[in-house]
Amino acid sequence: MSTDTGITIHQTFLPHTDPEASLTFYRDALGFEVLLDVGQGTMRWITVGPAGQAGTSIVLTPPAADPGVTDAERQTIAEMMAKGTYSAIILGADDLDATFERVQASGAEVMQEPVDQPYGFRDCAFRDPAGNTVRIKQL
């Protein structure tokens, strides 16, 4: 049974360690538009999103910027980001193979080339400059 609740996905947050490198990946390799860029240096919050989808975006944030995060938690976050186990996102593409070729040509770290998954869809995976897993599935 499906019920329209009127709820949509508006934003998600991913950490960055180098705002310029993350901006280059999301803007230039993935083709997202920059919707907002606030702050300076490494303390920047950059909002990006797919063209024509103003209601859906990713906010690239400085990791552990919240003053309530302890030094030990900051260390754990840094370690998890370095291993690529802290954050992930799954995107969808109309043409997975063309998207893979474009992102790979940008120099992004390939985690997995396009493959048919046993759970029913075809996808690929990259690591963004901060170590976040970016999976892209064929729509």
Side-chain angles (χ1 to χ4, degrees):
M1 185 168 121
S2 175
T3 303
D4 182 0
T5 63
I7 297 174
T8 61
I9 297 172
H10 183 68
Q11 291 180 319
T12 192
F13 291 78
L14 289 177
H16 70 68
T17 52
D18 178 338
E20 289 303 321
S22 289
L23 183 59
T24 298
F25 177 79
Y26 287 93
R27 182 193 57 212
D28 301 343
L30 290 176
F32 286 179
E33 296 177 330
V34 177
L35 305 172
L36 191 60
D37 187 345
V38 298
Q40 57 187 334
T42 58
M43 293 303 284
R44 282 171 66 189
W45 286 257
I46 305 166
T47 305
V48 296
Q53 296 181 38
T56 304
S57 60
I58 299 168
V59 182
L60 305 169
T61 65
D66 186 315
V69 176
T70 67
D71 288 341
E73 291 167 335
R74 280 186 179 80
Q75 180 63 34
T76 299
I77 291 168
E79 290 170 2
M80 291 179 71
M81 286 177 67
K83 291 190 322 187
T85 59
Y86 186 66
S87 287
I89 191 166
I90 300 176
L91 306 173
D94 291 331
D95 185 340
L96 180 66
D97 294 317
T99 300
F100 175 82
E101 294 298 327
R102 184 179 73 245
V103 178
Q104 182 182 38
S106 77
E109 180 183 342
V110 176
M111 294 174 66
Q112 173 201 300
E113 294 189 5
V115 64
D116 293 322
Q117 297 290 359
Y119 39 86
F121 56 83
R122 180 174 172 78
D123 71 354
C124 65
F126 295 92
R127 281 184 68 171
D128 79 0
N132 300 306
T133 298
V134 177
R135 297 194 77 77
I136 306 170
K137 69 182 237 177
Q138 175 70 48
L139 295 176

